[in-house]
Amino acid sequence: MRKQLKFALWPALVVIALVGVLSIFYTGPKYTGKTWFETEDFNWQLESIYEDVSVNVLNRIDPEEAKEKLIVTQQEIDDYRFQYGTLAEQLDNIERQYRTRIAEAKENKNETLLLALVKERDNKLEDIQENFNNDEYVERKIRKEKERQLTGYLELQKENYSRGFAVAYDFVDTETGERFTKGDVSDPAAFKKVYNEVNGYFRADSLPDGANYNTQTMEYASDDHIVLSEENLQQVKNPVRKLSGTLIISKAALAGGELQQRVHDFNLQKILLYSFWILTVLAIIALLTVVKFKKDWVIGTKEAVKYSRLKIDLRIVLLLLSAAILFVYLQSVAFNLPHELYPYSLGRYASNIMIFTIFGYLPAGFTAFQFVSLTETLKQSRDVEALMKDSYAAGLLRNVNELFSNRTIGVQLFSLLIIFFLAGIGFVGMFFAPELAVIYAFCVVFVALPALFLFVRRGAYLNRILSATDAMAAGHLTQEIPVKGKSPLAKHARNLNNLRDGVRISTNEQAKSERLKTELITNVSHDLRTPLTSIITYTDLLKDETLSAEERAKYVAVLDQKSQRLKTLIEDLFEVSKMASGNLELVKQHVDLNQLMQQAFAEHAEDFSDANLDVRISLPEVPVYALVDGQKLWRVLDNLLINALKYSLPGTRVYVSLQKTANQARFTMKNIAKYEIGGNTDELFERFKRGDESRQTEGSGLGLAIAQSIVELHGGRMDVEVDGDLFKVTIDIAVG
């Protein structure tokens, strides 16, 4: 609890100390050891007194003489004459102004009003015509108005003079010897100044220096086109007079009135300022002793833990913001401290306390709290770079970088942002400068509206793409996203369509894979169970001791046949698995494919003859060498020949050929199938898949799968084509 009280008191003491120290530099030189007569405020008041005395007494302009000096130029005459347009335009304007009113007077039969309106109209028409016919007529009117304005201006100077401080002076014109006195300059003086050759003469001007003449005389102008200008006043001013003498403000003048109040206010402000400096010293002593800041006021508190969860850049921004608010407040208060301390009213004090709390006390406490928390975080952090990467600024930079990763989208979005931002500025600026409305309308029609149209169109297209994407995510893959133009969105739509096609193909392949997997399990179970059932059956039969030797030998032969069948099936299955996993090693050598084919067909020549199949072989006359594993490639040819023996229609021909191109050899085998082949030839390469769905032939159903795997391991390609009952296998192998 004691820590909390100290931390609550600390910001107030810090603000008081800082304001006091700064005020010593800002306001100390203006108040320390000074009287009100040494302040800038008094000097400004004195200059005003000098000016008023000069204009109204020492070098007063004579109104009658000044009027004689006024000049009316031809330009002023022309400006006055054409201020409402040409002669015809002005006459027509007067006629229109009175036409309705004269008509109403006639209709109401008001003769008195009618005569007055007609006379008034005719006088104005006559005046306008005279303006255009007689320069002297116009000059007299302008001069009369200028004289009236000059008189008003001089009266204004007298009025200002009557409101000044009471001063006494005794001046003598150094050239004419004319003497000007007011009061007694020998009276005890609160302020005194002597003018002579040594100290400098008093220079009395008939016009105030730097006065805004037009502003002062506008209230006397009856016509906007006739204004007593600075140039007119320069025409009537008197030469500057040099005077010697003395000017004082007597001590008696301090006994009452505005002067007494100003001196009293200054002295009170000085006392309050000295008092505040004493408070500043006490605050500094307290800050160095009993209320000395300690980090444990902040570290470990619930507020510090919550604050530490903010990202590092946000914490830095908040720290700088609170410090900036505090700095501005300190500068403002320290510069105006005497006026802030002056006892205007309780409401003013309440307002100052509220401002002190909001802009001084709270920012000081929050700045200290943030600084300690931030420095502690940086000390304890082992990876400051990670903190910076996790900041909002780093995230923004990453997002900007990703935005411009597709430069077209980035540039378009940035351009739209700039266009709409400038459109908003232009809309506001149009109210301050209506003449820019035409330019703004042009920019809106030809820049902002096309950009808005583009933005809306792209937004609608993006929504259509998102809707189609949602449909794809829900599994609806039939609807194609429309591709419009060559924009990045169109490219994205095209990619989504490609993805849709890929997903659809993948889905079909997955369904096919599931179906083939089911068939594989069924076929494996069937092909393994058939010989295994026979083995179990004949094993049980051999247990009969009454069997004859001939029957026993017959059963053993069946067992041997079924065991070999089971062994072959398992070996083929393991071989396909090894090929699929890539664990099968190839021993490559340069092999003559021509000779390899001849050996393979020689092995099965008798089988083809027994199957009543006529084999037609077409081989090149020269050797065809390829870097292959001869044993494995022989297995491919053997499997294909066995496949042809099993599935070819008896009495038909089997065509086999080997051709060599520039860099590859092509093996082709065609035969007529004795069973109907399904339309999907890709499934013939699947394990345990047979061309005869009735499964009446012997074999593992792995022949084509093994052959394709071996060919692919050699970097070749194996294709199967079916045209009705024509079955064709093509193998391409690289040669060299």
Side-chain angles (χ1 to χ4, degrees):
M1 186 65 181
R2 190 174 180 183
K3 291 181 180 180
Q4 295 176 351
L5 289 175
K6 287 185 176 182
F7 187 59
L9 179 62
W10 185 86
L13 296 176
V14 167
V15 174
I16 292 173
L18 291 176
V19 168
V21 172
L22 289 174
S23 67
I24 293 175
F25 294 98
Y26 290 156
T27 62
K30 300 177 183 178
Y31 286 86
T32 306
K34 299 289 181 69
T35 66
W36 181 74
F37 295 102
E38 298 173 281
T39 64
E40 294 179 358
D41 181 37
F42 172 72
N43 290 331
W44 178 83
Q45 294 289 342
L46 190 61
E47 288 297 327
S48 178
I49 292 172
Y50 289 163
E51 197 172 81
D52 291 340
V53 170
S54 298
V55 170
N56 293 281
V57 180
L58 304 179
N59 198 3
R60 186 174 63 86
I61 295 175
D62 183 83
E64 298 304 322
E65 292 181 2
K67 292 177 182 179
E68 296 296 327
K69 297 178 182 179
L70 289 173
I71 297 174
V72 179
T73 65
Q74 184 62 44
Q75 182 64 45
E76 290 177 322
I77 293 174
D78 292 338
D79 290 343
Y80 182 87
R81 177 176 290 156
F82 291 98
Q83 60 182 309
Y84 297 118
T86 64
L87 174 60
E89 290 172 343
Q90 294 186 44
L91 293 175
D92 181 64
N93 185 38
I94 296 297
E95 289 285 356
R96 285 189 286 104
Q97 289 181 20
Y98 284 88
R99 186 177 299 135
T100 303
R101 297 172 63 190
I102 290 175
E104 290 177 354
K106 288 181 179 180
E107 184 178 351
N108 296 330
K109 297 180 179 180
N110 190 339
E111 294 294 333
T112 303
L113 178 59
L114 176 61
L115 291 174
L117 290 173
V118 171
K119 184 178 180 180
E120 184 178 318
R121 179 199 63 186
D122 292 343
N123 288 338
K124 289 186 177 181
L125 293 174
E126 183 180 350
D127 180 65
I128 292 172
Q129 289 177 337
E130 190 68 19
N131 287 341
F132 279 86
N133 295 331
N134 192 339
D135 287 351
E136 294 181 0
Y137 179 74
V138 177
E139 181 181 354
R140 286 196 299 272
K141 292 169 67 174
I142 296 175
R143 180 178 295 279
K144 183 178 180 181
E145 180 60 29
K146 283 188 175 182
E147 291 175 355
R148 191 186 70 81
Q149 293 183 30
L150 177 61
T151 302
Y153 172 75
L154 296 176
E155 290 296 329
L156 177 64
Q157 299 305 315
K158 288 183 179 180
E159 183 180 347
N160 292 337
Y161 176 63
S162 65
R163 294 198 297 260
F165 291 149
V167 296
Y169 54 80
D170 184 3
F171 287 119
V172 176
D173 191 317
T174 58
E175 293 184 2
T176 65
E178 185 178 0
R179 194 177 190 88
F180 302 91
T181 61
K182 180 183 178 183
D184 188 354
V185 296
S186 62
D187 290 341
F191 172 80
K192 181 177 182 179
K193 190 167 185 180
V194 178
Y195 298 91
N196 51 37
E197 185 177 0
V198 177
N199 298 332
Y201 292 111
F202 186 95
R203 298 177 60 85
D205 201 340
S206 59
L207 291 176
D209 290 334
N212 190 339
Y213 307 105
N214 290 339
T215 301
Q216 291 177 333
T217 58
M218 278 296 293
E219 59 182 288
Y220 301 104
S222 61
D223 195 311
D224 291 344
H225 290 267
I226 305 176
V227 177
L228 188 66
S229 64
E230 181 178 358
E231 183 181 357
N232 297 141
L233 290 173
Q234 293 298 327
Q235 295 169 359
V236 303
K237 71 178 295 187
N238 299 329
V240 177
R241 304 180 72 172
K242 293 193 299 182
L243 302 103
S244 62
T246 305
L247 182 143
I248 71 165
I249 297 178
S250 65
K251 290 184 178 180
L254 300 179
E258 183 181 356
L259 186 59
Q260 181 193 34
Q261 184 64 42
R262 287 181 178 271
V263 173
H264 173 269
D265 291 347
F266 176 81
N267 292 333
L268 179 58
Q269 289 175 354
K270 188 161 61 172
I271 293 172
L272 293 173
L273 186 61
Y274 289 164
S275 301
F276 191 87
W277 287 345
I278 295 173
L279 182 62
T280 298
V281 174
L282 296 176
I284 293 174
I285 294 173
L287 289 171
L288 296 176
T289 56
V290 294
V291 197
K292 188 176 182 180
F293 188 85
K294 295 181 180 180
K295 292 193 296 183
D296 59 0
W297 293 354
V298 175
I299 299 173
T301 62
K302 294 186 293 183
E303 293 77 10
V305 173
K306 293 179 181 179
Y307 177 76
S308 63
R309 295 171 185 167
L310 300 177
K311 294 187 182 296
I312 190 71
D313 56 339
L314 178 59
R315 294 166 66 180
I316 292 174
V317 169
L318 291 175
L319 173 61
L320 295 177
L321 180 61
S322 61
I325 293 173
L326 177 63
F327 177 77
V328 172
Y329 173 78
L330 294 175
Q331 291 275 353
S332 174
V333 174
F335 191 80
N336 298 294
L337 184 59
H339 301 284
E340 298 292 340
L341 295 174
Y342 189 82
Y344 294 100
S345 64
L346 291 176
R348 177 68 179 269
Y349 274 127
S351 175
N352 287 344
I353 292 173
M354 183 177 67
I355 294 174
F356 168 82
T357 303
I358 296 175
F359 298 103
Y361 176 80
L362 293 177
F366 195 37
T367 300
F369 172 84
Q370 292 179 97
F371 181 78
V372 172
S373 177
L374 184 61
T375 53
E376 193 67 19
T377 299
L378 294 176
K379 285 181 182 179
Q380 295 181 359
S381 176
R382 298 181 179 179
D383 192 355
V384 177
E385 185 178 353
L387 289 176
M388 300 307 297
K389 288 182 178 179
D390 188 47
S391 65
Y392 290 114
L396 177 62
L397 291 176
R398 287 193 297 269
N399 291 333
V400 171
N401 186 47
E402 291 176 1
L403 173 65
F404 283 93
S405 61
N406 188 318
R407 187 170 300 177
T408 302
I409 291 180
V411 170
Q412 288 180 356
L413 288 177
F414 188 74
S415 299
L416 286 173
L417 180 64
I418 293 297
I419 289 172
F420 291 136
F421 177 74
L422 293 178
I425 293 178
F427 180 76
V428 175
M430 187 175 60
F431 290 97
F432 294 95
E435 62 273 11
L436 299 178
V438 176
I439 299 176
Y440 179 75
F442 177 84
C443 293
V444 168
V445 172
F446 293 100
V447 179
L449 288 181
L452 180 62
F453 173 77
L454 177 64
F455 177 77
V456 172
R457 187 176 68 177
R458 292 289 173 83
Y461 188 31
L462 176 61
N463 284 333
R464 288 198 295 270
I465 293 175
L466 293 177
S467 298
T469 305
D470 291 339
M472 290 173 56
H476 305 295
L477 304 176
T478 57
Q479 183 180 0
E480 184 175 0
I481 303 174
V483 178
K484 296 182 179 180
K486 298 181 179 179
S487 67
L489 291 178
K491 182 179 179 181
H492 182 62
R494 191 177 299 107
N495 291 336
L496 286 176
N497 286 334
N498 295 335
L499 179 63
R500 177 185 64 88
D501 294 338
V503 171
R504 186 169 56 189
I505 293 173
S506 175
T507 303
N508 294 337
E509 290 292 331
Q510 184 177 3
K512 171 186 171 183
S513 176
E514 291 295 329
R515 179 172 56 83
L516 292 175
K517 186 186 299 183
T518 303
E519 293 182 2
L520 172 63
I521 295 173
T522 302
N523 293 339
V524 168
S525 300
H526 178 274
D527 286 348
L528 291 177
R529 186 170 61 249
T530 299
L532 187 59
T533 301
S534 298
I535 291 172
I536 294 173
T537 301
Y538 282 97
T539 300
D540 290 337
L541 291 175
L542 285 173
K543 293 178 182 178
D544 188 358
E545 296 179 356
T546 61
L547 291 175
S548 63
E550 182 180 354
E551 288 177 329
R552 190 177 297 277
K554 180 179 177 182
Y555 292 164
V556 170
V558 173
L559 285 173
D560 180 64
Q561 178 186 1
K562 298 301 180 182
S563 298
Q564 291 298 325
R565 164 67 179 159
L566 187 59
K567 176 184 176 184
T568 300
L569 184 63
I570 294 173
E571 287 177 349
D572 286 349
L573 185 59
F574 279 131
E575 190 168 4
V576 169
S577 299
K578 287 174 66 178
M579 292 178 185
S581 62
N583 294 327
L584 183 66
E585 295 184 1
L586 299 178
V587 182
K588 292 185 178 182
Q589 298 176 350
H590 284 282
V591 176
D592 182 5
L593 300 181
N594 197 343
Q595 183 179 2
L596 187 66
M597 286 186 63
Q598 291 177 3
Q599 291 176 356
F601 279 102
E603 186 93 10
H604 295 283
E606 185 176 348
D607 296 331
F608 277 103
S609 178
D610 294 341
N612 192 20
L613 295 173
D614 185 8
V615 181
R616 301 294 178 91
I617 303 176
S618 175
L619 300 175
E621 297 180 357
V622 295
V624 179
Y625 289 99
L627 186 61
V628 296
D629 187 327
Q631 183 179 0
K632 298 294 187 297
L633 198 57
W634 186 89
R635 177 73 181 277
V636 172
L637 298 176
D638 185 64
N639 283 357
L640 293 177
L641 293 173
I642 292 174
N643 191 70
L645 283 169
K646 289 180 180 179
Y647 297 106
S648 295
L649 181 66
T652 59
R653 297 183 181 87
V654 177
Y655 293 90
V656 181
S657 66
L658 178 65
Q659 297 175 334
K660 180 184 178 184
T661 60
N663 56 359
Q664 70 177 12
R666 169 166 289 185
F667 168 79
T668 305
M669 186 176 71
K670 296 183 286 186
N671 64 285
I672 302 298
K674 62 181 176 180
Y675 301 108
E676 184 178 352
I677 304 176
N680 194 349
T681 58
D682 293 338
E683 295 186 7
L684 294 175
F685 290 112
E686 299 297 331
R687 303 168 191 176
F688 293 94
K689 190 70 178 179
R690 289 192 178 93
D692 59 324
E693 298 295 340
S694 61
R695 303 184 55 84
Q696 297 299 318
T697 61
E698 291 290 333
S700 64
L702 299 173
L704 290 180
I706 293 174
Q708 184 189 39
S709 298
I710 293 174
V711 171
E712 289 178 350
L713 287 173
H714 282 85
R717 178 183 177 85
M718 179 175 174
D719 294 318
V720 172
E721 298 178 27
V722 175
D723 187 2
D725 291 334
L726 176 63
F727 182 80
K728 178 181 178 181
V729 179
T730 303
I731 297 176
D732 291 324
I733 295 289
V735 297

